[in-house]
């Protein structure tokens, strides 16, 4: 059965970009992205989209030059791509429905702090079953625990109307924020988990026929639904594990005089290991890594696989250790106290090229510094000021302190003025080429820079006069000091 109409429930970081690319590649398919959050839908229908996405993709396939998210949306919107809050109408007319709702880690009850909260997925499944008057393919796109497809099927079957059937597929999304459009157009692979029944295989072929419009068929992998669900969790766990592994070596490098970047280069030259995801940092963030590993840990604990759970838990523990170690280093270096001192934080998103702050290491670092009585000046090129305040209020549970001690700035130079230290928490490119001589003169002395992303020229900064600390490398004091500052 050809798919003519698609509905996507959830207009977030996954649903929005994924459906925009599908609409671009399949002009004959009508794609409606729905969300219960009216503000989000209004943003998708406005000139200022709710998420920021760059595009490193070199040439357009169907759109003229560099189709970043904005260009795709502006081109396809109200042509064959629609954003709406009318969830019922969109479900009713769809042949295929993507569930792209959020699956955060549970914050209370059984599995608190570890299990994925499936209430939004369940709610979406119930709505689909209640509203649908014709048979549908339901595709789980959100990252979910293993066996979620089975739970979705159960909810759908228990509530379906006579004559209506549902076939559930698992099609996890592997896009990475900031490069989402490139990842979607040039996907390494598309994974589709399906039931080993004639209906399951037909549904698999129907979804395949959408992707093969632009993805070579040999990159589409068909598996059973459990393998598909576990593969998504395992992919993120493996990537996070690489970061924790390289980060685990940073303290050792700082003490011994080795440089972790040189070690990473040497390791990565082995083609069996490869160079990617070996950039040492203050720690990984983002909505997926921690959540997905915790999910594996929780499943293993529930199945009494204690050793397996402990193995993966270590990846998270190392990440926590790294964030804590970085913050401790800041405090120790600044004469064991940051109380009443002003520290300028460069970067609040969890990585460059996104405005997303979920699980950002910046939040942990800022919280710890606020606990120690520091005043914070924060600058990030893309994160909304309101979001920074909300995240810090949530992390500290102390709105008064945040109000009193945190100032958000719209340019890095004003932010650094009169501060005691600069702390790089996100690797935004623009931080690399700032005029650090000017910044140095505007700061209190001694002026410190703590580079949590290893992106600056530390030798140059030392020569300007900064006291420099970075991750995984001892910075020796320069022999000649060019400027003395004021
Ligand atoms: C990740 C996966 O890459 C993607 O496939 C999945 O679909 C969702 O989760 P994302 O969270 O967008 O994507 O970001 P990613 O680029 O993977 O980075 C995650 C975190 O690791 C960031 O905080 C980043 O700064 C950090 N990181 C990444 C490092 O510290 N070092 C590295 O070498 C790479
Ligand atoms: P992700 O990063 O997985 O895309 P987001 O939090 O960015 O997650 O987006 C998920 C979206 O799903 C949110 O905008 C939320 O409002 C929406 N959502 C959650 N549950 C439902 C539901 N039952 N119906 C419609 N939209 C929903």
């Amino acid at each position: 059965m050809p798919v003519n109409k698609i509905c996507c429930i959830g207009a977030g970081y996954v649903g929005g970009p994924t459906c925009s690319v599908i609409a671009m590649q399949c002009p004959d398919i009508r794609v409606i992205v729905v969300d219960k959050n009216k503000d989000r839908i209004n943003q998708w229908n406005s000139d200022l989209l709710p998420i920021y996405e760059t595009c490193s993709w070199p040439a357009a396939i169907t759109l003229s030059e560099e189709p970043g998210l904005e260009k795709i949306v502006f081109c396809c919107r109200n042509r064959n791509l629609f954003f709406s809050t009318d969830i019922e109408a969109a479900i009713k007319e769809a042949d295929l429905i993507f569930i792209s709702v959020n699956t955060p880690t549970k914050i209370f009850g059984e599995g608190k702090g570890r299990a994925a909260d499936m209430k939004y997925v369940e709610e979406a499944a119930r709505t689909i079953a209640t509203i649908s008057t014709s048979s549908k393919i339901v595709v789980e796109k959100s990252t979910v625990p293993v066996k979620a497809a089975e739970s979705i099927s159960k909810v759908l079957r228990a509530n379906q109307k006579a004559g209506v059937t549902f076939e559930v597929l698992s099609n996890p999304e592997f896009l990475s924020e900031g490069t989402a459009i490139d990842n979607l157009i040039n996907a390494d692979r598309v994974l589709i988990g399906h039931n080993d029944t004639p209906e399951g295989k037909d549904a698999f072929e129907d979804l395949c026929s959408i992707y093969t419009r632009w993805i070579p068929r040999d990159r589409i992998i068909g598996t059973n639904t459990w393998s598909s669900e576990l593969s998504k969790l395992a992919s993120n766990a493996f990537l996070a594990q690489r970061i924790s592994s390289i980060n685990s070596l940073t303290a050792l490098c700082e003490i011994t005089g080795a440089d972790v970047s040189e070690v990473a280069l040497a390791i990565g030259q082995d083609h069996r290991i490869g160079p990617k995801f070996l950039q040492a940092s203050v720690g990984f963030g983002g909505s997926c890594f921690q959540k997905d590993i915790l999910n594996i840990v929780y499943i293993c604990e529930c199945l009494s696989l204690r050793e397996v759970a402990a193995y993966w838990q270590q990846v998270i523990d190392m990440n926590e250790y790294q964030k804590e170690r970085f913050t401790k280093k800041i405090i120790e270096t600044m004469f064991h106290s940051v109380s009443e001192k002003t520290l300028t934080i460069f970067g609040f998103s969890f990585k460059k090229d996104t405005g997303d702050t979920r699980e950002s290491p910046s939040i942990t670092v800022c919280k710890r510094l606020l606990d120690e009585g520091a005043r914070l000046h924060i600058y990030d090129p893309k994160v909304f000021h309101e979001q920074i305040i909300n995240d810090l209020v949530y992390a500290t549970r102390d709105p008064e302190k945040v109000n009193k001690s945190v100032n958000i700035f719209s340019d890095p130079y004003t932010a650094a003025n009169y501060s005691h230290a600069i702390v790089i928490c996100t690797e935004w490119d623009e931080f690399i080429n700032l005029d650090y001589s000017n910044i140095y003169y505007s700061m209190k002395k001694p002026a410190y820079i703590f580079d949590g992303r290893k992106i600056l020229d530390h030798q140059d900064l030392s020569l300007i006069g900064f006291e420099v600390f970075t991750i995984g490398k001892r910075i020796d004091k320069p022999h000649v000091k060019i400027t003395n500052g004021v």
Side-chain angles (χ1 to χ4, degrees):
M1 192 182 77
V3 173
N4 295 314
K5 290 180 181 165
I6 291 177
C7 162
C8 172
I9 304 178
Y13 285 88
V14 171
T18 306
C19 284
S20 299
V21 168
I22 292 177
M24 175 179 78
Q25 304 289 20
C26 313
D28 54 314
I29 296 182
R30 188 176 152 87
V31 182
I32 307 181
V33 185
V34 293
D35 203 295
K36 58 185 179 182
N37 181 336
K38 198 163 178 271
D39 291 342
R40 211 162 209 190
I41 290 299
N42 286 342
Q43 282 175 298
W44 278 110
N45 281 319
S46 76
D47 288 341
L48 186 62
L49 303 184
I51 64 177
Y52 169 74
E53 267 299 332
T54 50
C55 179
S56 55
W57 190 42
I61 291 174
T62 55
L63 296 164
S64 59
E65 94 255 343
E66 288 183 30
L69 179 64
E70 279 187 5
K71 209 163 203 170
I72 295 174
V73 171
F74 296 158
C75 177
C76 300
R77 197 168 59 193
N78 300 327
R79 182 192 76 181
N80 67 325
L81 174 66
F82 302 88
F83 296 94
S84 165
T85 49
D86 193 347
I87 300 173
E88 297 194 5
I91 290 177
K92 224 172 222 156
E93 65 176 49
D95 306 312
L96 182 148
I97 301 171
F98 286 115
I99 299 182
S100 302
V101 301
N102 36 334
T103 49
T105 303
K106 280 182 85 171
I107 50 173
F108 58 83
E110 183 68 26
K112 172 185 166 184
R114 287 172 306 155
D117 193 339
M118 290 291 289
K119 72 176 174 199
Y120 302 110
V121 173
E122 185 180 334
E123 188 188 327
R126 283 184 191 281
T127 312
I128 294 169
T130 315
I131 304 298
S132 297
T133 47
S134 59
S135 299
K136 323 258 178 216
I137 298 171
V138 176
V139 185
E140 141 198 296
K141 249 226 177 289
S142 317
T143 307
V144 288
V146 185
K147 294 210 156 203
E150 214 170 88
S151 313
I152 294 173
S153 296
K154 208 168 181 179
V155 171
L156 291 171
R157 271 201 308 273
N159 294 284
Q160 72 197 28
K161 296 191 175 66
V164 175
T165 58
F166 297 104
E167 197 54 44
V168 178
L169 299 175
S170 156
N171 172 218
E173 187 45 66
F174 292 100
L175 67 80
S176 174
E177 287 175 33
T179 54
I181 302 301
D182 188 28
N183 300 154
L184 284 160
I185 293 172
N186 298 307
D188 290 335
R189 78 306 209 181
V190 169
L191 182 55
I192 304 176
H194 60 87
N195 290 322
D196 193 18
T197 58
E199 296 78 17
K201 287 175 187 164
D202 285 348
F204 166 74
E205 289 301 333
D206 289 338
L207 185 54
C208 267
S209 70
I210 296 172
Y211 285 116
T212 47
R213 310 267 193 120
W214 75 96
I215 307 273
R217 175 73 197 218
D218 59 7
R219 286 202 210 155
I220 300 179
I221 305 171
T223 64
N224 71 36
T225 48
W226 308 298
S227 302
S228 166
E229 290 164 342
L230 183 57
S231 301
K232 167 68 187 184
L233 300 180
S235 291
N236 279 340
F238 269 58
L239 290 170
Q241 182 198 44
R242 280 175 75 96
I243 303 168
S244 276
S245 295
I246 197 74
N247 280 346
S248 75
L249 300 175
T250 54
L252 195 56
C253 287
E254 288 155 30
I255 298 166
T256 57
D259 178 346
V260 76
S261 298
E262 292 176 354
V263 176
L265 181 73
I267 297 172
Q269 288 285 329
D270 184 330
H271 72 275
R272 293 169 302 177
I273 298 174
K276 293 188 178 154
F277 273 71
L278 287 178
Q279 171 69 37
S281 66
V282 53
F284 61 73
S287 68
C288 287
F289 282 1
Q290 175 163 311
K291 181 183 80 177
D292 292 353
I293 295 175
L294 286 172
N295 221 314
I296 292 178
V297 171
Y298 182 66
I299 299 166
C300 291
E301 281 175 356
C302 291
L303 298 173
S304 299
L305 301 171
R306 273 183 296 278
E307 290 77 5
V308 187
Y311 174 80
W312 286 109
Q313 180 64 44
Q314 267 301 309
V315 175
I316 307 261
D317 293 349
M318 182 51 64
N319 198 46
E320 290 306 310
Y321 164 77
Q322 185 74 346
K323 290 184 277 182
E324 177 61 22
R325 199 175 74 78
F326 182 64
T327 320
K328 261 194 182 145
K329 189 78 190 178
I330 297 173
I331 299 163
E332 268 169 35
T333 309
M334 297 179 75
F335 310 111
H336 294 276
S337 172
V338 290
S339 173
E340 302 291 316
K341 290 179 184 162
T342 303
L343 285 88
T344 298
I345 309 292
F346 278 175
F348 202 79
S349 56
F350 78 93
K351 65 173 187 182
K352 72 173 181 178
D353 297 337
T354 177
D356 193 355
T357 62
R358 287 177 289 180
E359 304 296 340
S360 175
S362 220
I363 300 176
T364 315
V365 172
C366 289
K367 181 196 175 298
R368 276 285 279 115
L369 294 172
L370 286 170
D371 288 346
E372 294 285 329
R375 288 186 298 260
L376 301 182
H377 287 184
I378 303 177
Y379 167 72
D380 186 284
K382 283 293 168 199
V383 179
F384 294 115
H385 294 193
E386 196 187 2
Q387 182 68 45
I388 298 179
I389 297 295
N390 289 345
D391 286 338
L392 291 179
V393 166
Y394 186 78
T396 57
R397 309 277 196 273
D398 191 345
E400 213 174 295
K401 183 190 273 174
V402 172
N403 194 23
K404 200 177 103 218
S405 309
V406 177
N407 284 296
I408 320 285
F409 289 80
S410 299
D411 93 279
Y413 294 101
T414 328
N417 238 349
Y418 298 113
S419 60
H420 295 81
I422 288 171
V423 181
I424 311 266
C425 283
T426 313
E427 73 280 23
W428 284 101
D429 291 338
E430 71 167 68
F431 297 153
I432 299 171
N433 295 317
L434 293 176
D435 182 344
Y436 283 99
S437 296
N438 246 334
I439 289 179
Y440 178 74
Y441 275 108
S442 76
M443 290 175 65
K444 301 241 172 80
K445 307 295 173 325
Y448 296 94
I449 285 201
F450 299 93
D451 182 359
R453 293 291 186 162
K454 260 183 151 271
I455 54 169
L456 302 183
D457 185 330
H458 305 121
Q459 202 58 34
D460 259 18
L461 293 171
S462 296
L463 286 169
I464 290 171
F466 280 104
E467 301 279 331
V468 187
F469 170 82
T470 191
I471 299 273
K473 184 185 181 185
R474 205 164 58 203
I475 309 289
D476 297 323
K477 291 244 181 316
H479 298 301
V480 197
K481 211 174 185 181
I482 293 176
T483 52
N484 287 314
V486 282

